[in-house]
């Protein structure tokens, strides 16, 4: 009987110890859970981990709804066209209309594979090339890394060829004159080319970009040499390889300002020619 009581005592102690042990484990598990749920509160951007800082984005502006791919094209390339107008005097409206027409609003086959927005063929081009059916099968066209280079090359193509020189004597907002002049100078063979450009400009009000450029500069809409000249500031002698653009960049001028300073009606310059390069 005494032995039986001793055995029962040991069994009861074992049971109580077992219960206490389980309860203690459960408590530790609960504390562990609390620890994993604790987060650091950041009070300043300087406290952010590097990967969070780099991934952080500013709130985006509401997206504008466009009715067509052409409107998206205009929105995308208008700033480039305006900048090119400031540098070279080619109306932004004309550049955009030509880009829309020649590139199929950026979705033409040639444009998609070459970033060529103006259908400019190789003609001695030493850069990358692609071949595309045009007037003849597999003609050579220029290829660019980015569309912006196509826009710049278009400016150079027009400003550095004598056959387009008469265009630069037109008023900068005379998009009708430019459209007709391009066809007359041989840019396109389509007899309706001027009408197509004018229709695009008037349908999408592209001439507003011309007015924005003209309104934010010192231009008066033509190249009549109205800028004040201070001849005491010096001249520059044209060297082999120079262009009006490269000279203007050297002296922090626009091409139009440089032309006005020197009463130039075209972008054609000759080696040895002296140009006034400063304005008062």
């Amino acid at each position: 009987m005494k032995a039986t009581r001793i055995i029962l005592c040991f069994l009861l102690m074992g049971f109580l110890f077992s219960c206490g042990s389980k309860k203690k484990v459960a408590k530790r598990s609960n504390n562990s859970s609390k620890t994993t749920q604790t987060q650091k509160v950041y009070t300043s951007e300087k406290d952010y981990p590097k990967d969070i800082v780099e991934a952080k984005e500013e709130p985006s502006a509401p997206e504008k709804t466009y009715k067509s791919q052409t409107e998206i094209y205009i929105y995308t390339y208008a700033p480039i066209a305006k900048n090119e107008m400031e540098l070279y005097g080619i109306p932004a409206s004309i550049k955009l209309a030509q880009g829309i027409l020649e590139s199929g609003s950026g979705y033409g086959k040639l444009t998609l594979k070459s970033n060529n927005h103006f259908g400019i063929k190789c003609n001695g081009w030493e850069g990358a090339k692609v071949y595309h059916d045009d007037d003849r099968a597999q003609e050579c066209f220029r290829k660019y890394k980015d569309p912006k280079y196509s826009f710049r090359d278009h400016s150079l193509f027009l400003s550095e060829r004598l056959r387009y020189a008469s265009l630069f004597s037109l008023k900068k907002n005379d998009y009708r004159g430019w459209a007709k002049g391009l066809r007359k100078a041989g840019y396109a063979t389509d007899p309706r080319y001027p009408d197509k450009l004018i229709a695009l400009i008037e349908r999408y009000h592209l001439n507003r970009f011309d007015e924005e450029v003209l309104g934010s500069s010192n231009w008066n809409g033509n190249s009549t040499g109205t800028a004040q000249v201070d001849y005491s500031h010096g001249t520059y002698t044209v060297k082999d390889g120079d262009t009006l653009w490269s000279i203007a960049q050297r002296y922090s001028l626009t091409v139009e300002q440089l032309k006005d300073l020197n009463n130039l009606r075209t972008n054609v310059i000759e080696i040895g020619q002296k140009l006034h390069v400063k304005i008062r």
Side-chain angles (χ1 to χ4, degrees):
M1 189 73 171
K2 186 176 181 181
T4 302
R5 287 180 180 177
I6 291 172
I7 291 171
L8 286 173
C9 239
F10 274 111
L11 288 173
L12 183 58
M13 288 176 65
F15 177 75
L16 290 173
F17 179 79
S18 174
C19 287
S21 221
K22 286 182 181 177
K23 187 175 181 182
K24 191 172 184 181
V25 170
K27 187 174 181 181
R28 285 180 179 173
S29 175
N30 187 45
N31 287 339
S32 175
S33 177
K34 274 188 179 180
T35 302
T36 58
Q37 291 174 4
T38 301
Q39 295 180 347
K40 182 177 179 180
V41 177
Y42 296 103
T43 59
S44 164
E45 288 186 0
K46 67 181 181 180
D47 296 325
Y48 287 172
K50 186 176 180 181
D51 60 330
I52 296 178
V53 173
E54 292 177 349
K56 190 175 180 230
E57 296 180 358
E58 295 295 327
S60 57
E63 292 186 7
K64 184 176 179 179
T65 302
Y66 298 96
K67 295 179 181 178
S68 65
Q69 178 59 37
T70 300
E71 288 192 357
I72 295 174
Y73 186 93
I74 294 166
Y75 172 80
T76 302
Y77 296 109
I80 298 176
K82 288 168 63 178
N83 184 63
E84 293 297 309
M85 180 177 178
E86 290 176 344
L87 291 173
Y88 291 92
I90 301 166
S93 60
I94 285 291
K95 191 175 284 283
L96 286 169
Q98 282 194 279
I100 292 166
L101 187 60
E102 299 283 353
S103 76
S105 296
Y107 273 75
K109 289 183 179 179
L110 172 63
T111 301
L112 289 174
K113 65 182 179 181
S114 67
N115 283 320
N116 189 329
H117 283 239
F118 298 93
I120 299 179
K121 297 178 182 179
C122 289
N123 297 323
W125 179 253
E126 296 181 358
K129 305 175 179 71
V130 297
Y131 295 87
H132 178 75
D133 293 345
D134 192 53
D135 296 329
R136 296 186 299 274
Q138 292 300 286
E139 291 192 81
C140 183
F141 287 86
R142 302 179 183 191
K143 181 179 180 180
Y144 310 94
K145 292 181 180 180
D146 187 276
K148 65 183 178 183
Y149 297 115
S150 177
F151 276 71
R152 172 53 52 84
D153 196 35
H154 175 260
S155 297
L156 296 173
F157 187 85
L158 294 183
S159 65
E160 295 182 350
R161 283 168 172 74
L162 282 172
R163 63 188 173 123
Y164 298 113
S166 61
L167 294 172
F168 292 89
S169 65
L170 299 171
K171 290 185 177 182
K172 301 302 179 291
N173 56 0
D174 184 9
Y175 62 85
R176 287 177 171 272
W178 270 82
K180 294 173 183 177
L182 283 167
R183 167 71 177 86
K184 186 177 180 180
Y187 191 96
T189 57
D190 182 358
R192 297 188 62 247
Y193 193 75
D195 295 332
K196 291 177 180 178
L197 293 181
I198 292 169
L200 283 168
I201 291 169
E202 295 181 348
R203 177 179 178 181
Y204 294 102
H205 308 291
L206 301 181
N207 57 313
R208 71 184 187 270
F209 299 115
D210 301 339
E211 300 305 326
E212 287 175 9
V213 173
L214 293 170
S216 63
S217 70
N218 294 321
W219 293 1
N220 61 358
N222 55 47
S223 297
T224 56
T226 57
Q228 291 183 309
V229 180
D230 183 352
Y231 295 104
S232 65
H233 277 70
T235 59
Y236 176 82
T237 302
V238 178
K239 299 178 178 60
D240 185 24
D242 281 338
T243 64
L244 281 180
W245 181 82
S246 65
I247 298 169
Q249 289 290 297
R250 184 192 298 249
Y251 292 97
S252 300
L253 299 168
T254 66
V255 170
E256 195 59 30
Q257 285 174 324
L258 187 58
K259 287 171 67 176
D260 281 345
L261 280 169
N262 293 276
N263 292 326
L264 298 177
R265 297 183 65 81
T266 74
N267 285 28
V268 179
I269 52 178
E270 299 177 355
I271 296 174
Q273 181 177 354
K274 290 188 180 296
L275 298 176
H276 299 288
V277 291
K278 292 292 181 181
I279 59 176
R280 222 182 331 232

